């Protein structure tokens, strides 16, 4: 739910930008996250379900891309990709609010175990996945 208190930031920012509203970044926007595209998640689940490696069964994996992106970079890229559909989106200002209490500054998942045991190699980088997501949002939510 992009409108809930714990909404994922990408759908929340996309919907705000589609409505012509300024996205609000908590803090200075330099906090970072390891965003991953849904097809990477599907790929990981399929590899985990189909593995014949006995060391890989009944274990936990981080499903991620393995790289960090700041919230400032996220919004910059969202505006750039969405402006391909509506040029006015590029000019929407970003608002920086106060830091959220308890928010961790940086999150980066280790995918080494999944690479080793499942031969996981995420197919979509952050930018590739974001472009696909933006296209879907534009076609389905506009």
């Amino acid at each position: 739910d992009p409108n809930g208190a714990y909404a994922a930031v990408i759908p929340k920012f996309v919907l705000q930008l589609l409505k012509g509203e300024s996205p609000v970044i908590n803090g200075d926007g330099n906090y970072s996250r390891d965003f991953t595209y849904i097809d990477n998640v599907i790929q990981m689940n399929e590899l985990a379900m189909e593995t014949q490696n006995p060391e890989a069964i009944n274990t936990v994996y981080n499903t991620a891309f393995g790289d960090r992106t700041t919230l400032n970079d996220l919004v910059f890229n969202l505006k750039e990709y969405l402006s391909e559909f509506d040029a006015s989106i590029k000019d929407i200002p970003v608002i920086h609010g106060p830091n959220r209490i308890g928010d961790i500054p940086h999150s980066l998942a280790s995918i080494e175990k999944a690479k080793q045991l499942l031969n996981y190699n995420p197919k979509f980088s952050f930018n590739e996945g974001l472009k696909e997501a933006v296209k879907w949002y534009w076609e389905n939510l506009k």
Side-chain angles (χ1 to χ4, degrees), residues 52-103:
Q52 298 299 310
N53 179 353
E55 293 178 39
I57 297 172
N58 293 325
T59 190
V60 177
Y61 300 95
N62 290 324
T63 305
F65 181 69
D67 196 14
R68 293 186 323 201
T69 302
T70 68
L71 295 177
N72 284 329
D73 287 340
L74 169 64
V75 172
F76 175 84
N77 286 311
L78 284 173
K79 288 173 59 174
E80 182 178 320
Y81 301 153
L82 285 167
S83 69
E84 293 176 16
F85 301 101
D86 179 349
S88 67
I89 291 174
K90 195 146 191 143
D91 297 325
I92 297 173
V94 176
I95 298 170
H96 289 271
N99 282 331
R100 285 192 319 184
I101 296 172
D103 205 1

Side-chain angles (χ1 to χ4, degrees), residues 19-134:
K19 293 177 184 177
E21 299 171 358
S22 293
V24 178
I25 295 176
N26 296 311
D28 65 7
N30 289 318
Y31 280 18
S32 63
R33 298 291 178 260
D34 187 348
F35 297 106
T36 195
Y37 184 57
I38 185 64
D39 284 10
N40 292 339
V41 177
I42 293 167
Q43 176 192 3
M44 174 72 85
N45 283 316
E46 288 175 342
L47 288 169
M49 287 187 306
E50 296 171 356
T51 187
Q52 298 299 310
N53 179 353
E55 293 178 39
I57 297 172
N58 293 325
T59 190
V60 177
Y61 300 95
N62 290 324
T63 305
F65 181 69
D67 196 14
R68 293 186 323 201
T69 302
T70 68
L71 295 177
N72 284 329
D73 287 340
L74 169 64
V75 172
F76 175 84
N77 286 311
L78 284 173
K79 288 173 59 174
E80 182 178 320
Y81 301 153
L82 285 167
S83 69
E84 293 176 16
F85 301 101
D86 179 349
S88 67
I89 291 174
K90 195 146 191 143
D91 297 325
I92 297 173
V94 176
I95 298 170
H96 289 271
N99 282 331
R100 285 192 319 184
I101 296 172
D103 205 1
I104 60 169
H106 305 289
S107 176
L108 176 61
S110 172
I111 58 174
E112 293 309 310
K113 182 173 151 185
K115 284 182 171 186
Q116 221 172 20
L117 297 178
L118 298 173
N119 295 317
Y120 173 64
N121 186 24
K123 293 179 182 175
F124 286 85
S125 70
F126 165 73
N127 286 325
E128 292 166 335
L130 194 63
K131 284 179 185 176
E132 292 294 319
V134 161

